[in-house]
Amino acid sequence: MGSRYTAFTLLIFLIYYSGLVFSQLPSGQVSTMSKIYEIFQDNTGSSFVWNNVARESNPCLWRGVSCSTAYSSINGLSFPFFSIFTSEFLPVVCQIDTLEFLDVSNNHLSSIPDGFYSVCGEVNGLRLLNFSRNRLIGSLSSFNGFRMLEYVDFSHNYLSGEIDLQLDGLDSLKNLNLSHNMFIGNVPTSLGRLNLLEELQLSFNRFINEIPRQILRYRNLTLIDLSLNRLSGSIPEELGQLTELRVLVLSINNLSGGIPSSLSNITTLFKFAANQNNFNGTIPYGITRYLRSLDLSYNTLRGTIPSYLLSCPNLQSLDLSYNELEGSIPTNISSSMSRLRLGSNSLNGVIPVFSLGSLVELTYLELDNNSLTGPIPSELGTCGNLALLNLAHNRFTGLLPPALGDLTNLQVLNLQFNNLVGEIPAQIIMLTTLRMLNLSWNSFNGSIPLSVTSLRNLTNLDLQGNNLSGQIPGSIENLYSLIELQLGNNQLSGVIPSMPLYLQIALNLSHNQFTGSIPVTLSRLTGLKVLDLSSNGFSGEIPNFFMGMTSLTQLVLSYNQLSGVVPRFGPHVVVQTNGNNGLIFPVENPSPTSRRKRKSLSSDIVIIIALAAGTGAGLLIMIFMFVKKKI
Ligand SMILES: *[C@@H]1O[C@H](CO)[C@@H](O)[C@H](O)[C@H]1NC(C)=O
Ligand SMILES: *[C@@H]1O[C@H](CO)[C@@H](O)[C@H](O)[C@H]1NC(C)=O
Ligand SMILES: *[C@@H]1O[C@H](CO)[C@@H](O)[C@H](O)[C@H]1NC(C)=O
Ligand SMILES: *[C@@H]1O[C@H](CO)[C@@H](O)[C@H](O)[C@H]1NC(C)=O
Ligand SMILES: *[C@@H]1O[C@H](CO)[C@@H](O)[C@H](O)[C@H]1NC(C)=O
Ligand SMILES: *[C@@H]1O[C@H](CO)[C@@H](O)[C@H](O)[C@H]1NC(C)=O
Ligand SMILES: *[C@@H]1O[C@H](CO)[C@@H](O)[C@H](O)[C@H]1NC(C)=O
Ligand SMILES: *[C@@H]1O[C@H](CO)[C@@H](O)[C@H](O)[C@H]1NC(C)=O
Ligand SMILES: *[C@@H]1O[C@H](CO)[C@@H](O)[C@H](O)[C@H]1NC(C)=O
Ligand SMILES: *[C@@H]1O[C@H](CO)[C@@H](O)[C@H](O)[C@H]1NC(C)=O
Ligand SMILES: *[C@@H]1O[C@H](CO)[C@@H](O)[C@H](O)[C@H]1NC(C)=O
Ligand SMILES: *[C@@H]1O[C@H](CO)[C@@H](O)[C@H](O)[C@H]1NC(C)=O
């Protein structure tokens, strides 16, 4: 009884999921899908995505096909990464008159046939077209019909030409993406006569001239991205009337003039970027009132940083670097702040300690290349999330606070070119997360802390230009990630320990007080490119093992007390040996390398002459020289 019941249910189930449902899809849509199946099968070869389904099965079950709930019609086709090269299927898909979205992004389409525009324009419910990341070339076609089309994405193609009225018929257009193409001319402003546009993404094209005021017709705009074009002129003050705007990106253009203060009236605006332009004037009042992110870097803004600017409670990211700002850093900093970049201005005064204790979100702090003074506050040690701290190229004085050793997420610490003194705190040299440590060109003294062995992830260590003395700790060998070690211009001495094996960029021990013979352990550094041992007291011969250091491109041995015969180095190494009195240079016999050099030189001349003359005369000269050489 029970098993007969189960069999019956199963039968119903099978009917329901194969025959019944299948029969509900209009036969026209089934045959259309069948055609598309065939086109893809012929065209995509081994990447054919419907390999595992039969052409006779219900298309609603094929990958990328969306149907209405009752499987009564197809409403969407999503074919991203289907390896499609042919556009043949495009006029065919719109025979499905219930289609609402078509996504053919991430394929290899190079054209869209005219038939597509005429047939699809008639599909009344079509709301989304996505051709992003194909290989479309030529200019943008005109859209006629497409009455409900809201989303149009042609980003990441090779489309060119101007955009005039091609999109003006799209009455429902809300979301347009033409970024990463090669469009020229003015920023398009005929984008649907009902003015419903909300997102306008035009970055990375070749649009020129000013930001058009006609853009203000679209009062519902929430996003404008015009970055990476060739726009000039200033930002229209009226942009402040776009009261729905959330994101405004104008980066990397040739815009100039002042930043309009009207933008600070837009309560919805949370991201504004205008970096890498020619904006001048001062930072307008209240600009960060509602913003979460502001980037005005690489302009020529002047004046001081207004005292309220950093304190606005929503502000998370502020980049004002590479401007001409002066005065001091405001004391009141929002506790939401995560990235603060004020480098390469003319700021002075001290680092304000007032807010430091509450900056728990702070991840990047860059104040480099200013004229900041005073000590480095130990309160910085409370900003436990800091991953990057760059205070280089300032006038900081005093000792380095050991409290910086509390920054257990720190990856980059740049303090070079300041006037810091005293010993390098062992606590800092224990930060196992550090990748880059640059303390060069200060006045640190004492010896290199033994705790240096903790820096397992350190790739670049720069301690040059200080007053460090004593020996290099033997444990330095354990820094397996280290690719650059700069210890020049100190007063280091004693035995040079085995160096980290994977050093690549440089090992610089120059201008120290090392003596004795060049240590044989250096021979293991087979990946090292630059070795600088100059201005020390090294004596004895230049070892032959340098020949085995096959990556070496520069070897600086100047100003030591080396003696003996200089080994013959290969042509890829630049060797400097001046300032050593006892060196003997081998006589320049016609060695195999130098003979080859001369030969290639003369054949170069032949080629040049032949190219210059280009005709029979050149050929004659060439033959003549060839014969002469043979003799
Ligand atoms: C188009 O497809 C890409 C991915 O393939 C996606 O990132 C993008 O958001 C889509 N565009 C629209 C308007 O949906
Ligand atoms: C193109 O921009 C639109 C509008 O902002 C966005 O919805 C879409 O996701 C973007 N497409 C891609 C591929 O990022
Ligand atoms: C903004 O969008 C709303 C619907 O969301 C619409 O009613 C209104 O007309 C649009 N504004 C403009 C200026 O078209
Ligand atoms: C940038 O704009 C200025 C005018 O503001 C113009 O003189 C200059 O030629 C433009 N530069 C480029 C590279 O377009
Ligand atoms: C900002 O809005 C206020 C009130 O609507 C208005 O009085 C003021 O002029 C606006 N400021 C700017 C710079 O547009
Ligand atoms: C800003 O630059 C424009 C030219 O691009 C110039 O006319 C104007 O005087 C400058 N303003 C300030 C405050 O320097
Ligand atoms: C810091 O700024 C915030 C927000 O602007 C403000 O509420 C607070 O009173 C300021 N604190 C001080 C001490 O100025
Ligand atoms: C310092 O700032 C000046 C002016 O902004 C800039 O020209 C220079 O390249 C910067 N130097 C460094 C080391 O960043
Ligand atoms: C290091 O410098 C500090 C401050 O200049 C000084 O007090 C100390 O004596 C120096 N230490 C050594 C070992 O030279
Ligand atoms: C070192 O780097 C590796 C790989 O990036 C990472 O997984 C690891 O957590 C790092 N170690 C420390 C102590 O930060
Ligand atoms: C380095 O230390 C010596 C004495 O130990 C001192 O004479 C010299 O001025 C110091 N140099 C620097 C740059 O601090
Ligand atoms: C340390 O800073 C100096 C000066 O800015 C720079 O030349 C050097 O390359 C930096 N060292 C490392 C290892 O990055």
Side-chain angles (χ1 to χ4, degrees):
M1 178 70 182
S3 76
R4 214 188 307 154
Y5 177 75
T6 319
F8 181 70
T9 331
L10 193 64
L11 188 67
I12 295 288
F13 185 84
L14 281 177
I15 290 170
Y16 186 78
Y17 275 96
S18 57
L20 194 88
V21 171
F22 191 39
S23 66
Q24 279 186 354
L25 211 54
S27 63
Q29 297 197 353
V30 174
S31 70
T32 299
M33 287 312 297
S34 181
K35 272 184 238 162
I36 295 171
Y37 186 104
E38 215 170 299
I39 294 171
F40 286 181
Q41 191 173 35
D42 290 349
N43 187 254
T44 56
S46 61
S47 331
F48 181 52
V49 290
W50 293 328
N51 250 334
N52 56 343
V53 296
R55 203 166 119 191
E56 299 73 33
S57 64
N58 181 359
C60 291
L61 304 175
W62 302 355
R63 195 172 124 199
V65 181
S66 306
C67 293
S68 59
T69 37
Y71 282 2
S72 59
S73 60
I74 294 173
N75 58 13
L77 297 174
S78 283
F79 299 151
F81 299 105
F82 270 37
S83 305
I84 314 169
F85 285 86
T86 179
S87 304
E88 226 181 295
F89 73 103
L90 282 174
V92 179
V93 289
C94 289
Q95 289 168 6
I96 299 169
D97 58 3
T98 53
L99 202 63
E100 291 169 27
F101 59 92
L102 175 63
D103 177 358
V104 293
S105 63
N106 293 288
N107 283 293
H108 313 283
L109 305 176
S110 56
S111 67
I112 301 175
D114 289 342
F116 171 80
Y117 291 97
S118 52
V119 181
C120 291
E122 302 296 314
V123 179
N124 273 331
L126 192 61
R127 293 176 52 234
L128 180 145
L129 279 182
N130 196 343
F131 281 93
S132 174
R133 293 182 198 274
N134 277 282
R135 298 173 184 171
L136 298 175
I137 54 169
S139 54
L140 194 65
S141 296
S142 277
F143 285 74
N144 296 306
F146 296 96
R147 285 196 25 248
M148 302 297 277
L149 194 57
E150 293 177 12
Y151 296 85
V152 175
D153 195 339
F154 280 101
S155 60
H156 297 272
N157 280 288
Y158 304 98
L159 295 167
S160 55
E162 299 194 18
I163 301 171
D164 187 17
L165 294 172
Q166 293 99 309
L167 300 165
D168 205 33
L170 296 178
D171 280 343
S172 304
L173 190 62
K174 276 189 178 167
N175 189 303
L176 175 67
N177 194 340
L178 302 178
S179 67
H180 288 262
N181 279 287
M182 306 186 307
F183 289 115
I184 58 169
N186 292 330
V187 170
T189 51
S190 298
L191 304 169
R193 280 165 298 214
L194 295 186
N195 302 340
L196 297 179
L197 194 66
E198 291 173 7
E199 301 199 3
L200 179 60
Q201 174 54 270
L202 300 178
S203 70
F204 218 120
N205 279 288
R206 296 168 188 180
F207 291 117
I208 55 165
N209 295 335
E210 306 207 344
I211 299 174
R213 279 174 174 71
Q214 291 91 316
I215 217 172
L216 294 162
R217 279 168 42 195
Y218 302 99
R219 287 300 155 104
N220 281 351
L221 274 171
T222 59
L223 177 145
I224 299 176
D225 188 346
L226 303 176
S227 60
L228 280 148
N229 279 291
R230 296 164 187 183
L231 303 177
S232 53
S234 54
I235 304 178
E237 179 85 31
E238 301 92 315
L239 231 48
Q241 294 167 12
L242 295 174
T243 53
E244 305 289 319
L245 206 56
R246 294 162 56 77
V247 177
L248 178 59
V249 184
L250 305 174
S251 319
I252 320 188
N253 277 290
N254 187 21
L255 296 163
S256 56
I259 304 287
S261 56
S262 62
L263 295 178
S264 54
N265 261 359
I266 308 176
T267 58
T268 46
L269 193 66
F270 70 80
K271 177 178 172 163
F272 175 40
N275 51 297
Q276 285 164 275
N277 281 287
N278 299 317
F279 291 113
N280 63 6
T282 56
I283 298 173
Y285 181 76
I287 189 76
T288 50
R289 189 155 20 140
Y290 304 108
L291 289 177
R292 254 184 268 161
S293 165
L294 174 63
D295 189 348
L296 298 176
S297 61
Y298 293 90
N299 283 291
T300 50
L301 299 171
R302 287 169 186 270
T304 58
I305 302 178
S307 61
Y308 73 88
L309 194 84
L310 313 185
S311 71
C312 296
N314 299 325
L315 197 61
Q316 294 172 358
S317 173
L318 177 66
D319 194 342
L320 300 176
S321 47
Y322 286 91
N323 278 288
E324 292 164 14
L325 300 167
E326 48 197 25
S328 56
I329 300 171
T331 54
N332 193 348
I333 303 174
S334 159
S335 57
S336 312
M337 192 70 81
S338 153
R339 296 162 179 252
L340 181 57
R341 295 191 157 122
L342 304 176
S344 295
N345 281 286
S346 303
L347 300 171
N348 54 34
V350 301
I351 297 181
V353 295
F354 172 73
S355 301
L356 285 183
S358 61
L359 300 183
V360 287
E361 304 289 335
L362 197 63
T363 312
Y364 298 90
L365 180 59
E366 292 183 77
L367 306 175
D368 59 299
N369 199 15
N370 282 291
S371 302
L372 300 169
T373 52
I376 291 176
S378 60
E379 287 87 345
L380 270 175
T382 62
C383 304
N385 256 321
L386 267 182
L388 184 150
L389 178 58
N390 186 354
L391 305 176
H393 292 268
N394 277 289
R395 298 179 194 158
F396 291 115
T397 53
L399 304 170
L400 194 52
L404 293 190
D406 296 339
L407 299 174
T408 52
N409 291 304
L410 201 62
Q411 294 183 25
V412 179
L413 179 57
N414 285 345
L415 300 174
Q416 68 269 21
F417 286 99
N418 279 290
N419 302 317
L420 301 168
V421 299
E423 300 200 5
I424 300 173
Q427 290 88 333
I428 290 172
I429 302 291
M430 283 169 85
L431 287 169
T432 51
T433 46
L434 273 182
R435 291 166 190 280
M436 294 212 190
L437 179 59
N438 199 340
L439 303 179
S440 62
W441 306 106
N442 280 284
S443 299
F444 290 115
N445 64 8
S447 50
I448 300 174
L450 292 172
S451 61
V452 73
T453 181
S454 314
L455 300 172
R456 292 299 171 87
N457 273 0
L458 197 68
T459 58
N460 306 70
L461 177 58
D462 196 340
L463 302 176
Q464 71 180 311
N466 282 290
N467 220 347
L468 300 169
S469 54
Q471 276 187 218
I472 302 172
S475 56
I476 203 157
E477 187 185 3
N478 300 329
L479 304 186
Y480 293 117
S481 306
L482 204 65
I483 55 173
E484 178 176 10
L485 180 56
Q486 300 283 353
L487 297 175
N489 286 283
N490 280 291
Q491 283 152 34
L492 298 166
S493 58
V495 177
I496 295 175
S498 290
M499 285 292 158
L501 260 190
Y502 303 112
L503 280 177
Q504 256 175 52
I505 298 176
L507 171 59
N508 180 358
L509 301 175
S510 68
H511 294 271
N512 277 291
Q513 291 162 10
F514 294 112
T515 54
S517 54
I518 294 176
V520 67
T521 50
L522 292 178
S523 66
R524 303 181 314 152
L525 306 177
T526 50
L528 190 65
K529 293 185 185 133
V530 177
L531 177 60
D532 190 347
L533 302 176
S534 63
S535 300
N536 279 288
F538 288 113
S539 56
E541 298 199 349
I542 299 178
N544 275 315
F545 66 66
F546 284 134
M547 314 299 232
M549 295 173 65
T550 47
S551 303
L552 215 53
T553 57
Q554 198 183 352
L555 177 61
V556 191
L557 302 171
S558 317
Y559 300 102
N560 279 291
Q561 280 136 44
L562 298 166
S563 57
V565 179
V566 178
R568 225 190 289 279
F569 285 91
H572 303 297
V573 195
V574 176
V575 186
Q576 284 160 264
T577 54
N578 55 313
N580 287 282
N581 288 332
L583 289 176
I584 303 162
F585 292 87
V587 191
E588 267 298 321
N589 271 334
S591 70
T593 36
S594 63
R595 213 183 304 143
R596 200 174 57 221
K597 231 182 229 163
R598 212 173 301 138
K599 185 180 158 196
S600 67
L601 186 70
S602 60
S603 58
D604 279 351
I605 292 172
V606 171
I607 291 167
I608 289 166
I609 292 172
L611 280 177
T615 55
L619 199 67
L620 271 182
I621 294 171
M622 205 164 85
I623 292 166
F624 174 66
M625 288 188 73
F626 186 68
V627 170
K628 199 176 148 208
K629 199 144 101 197
K630 279 274 150 155
I631 303 162

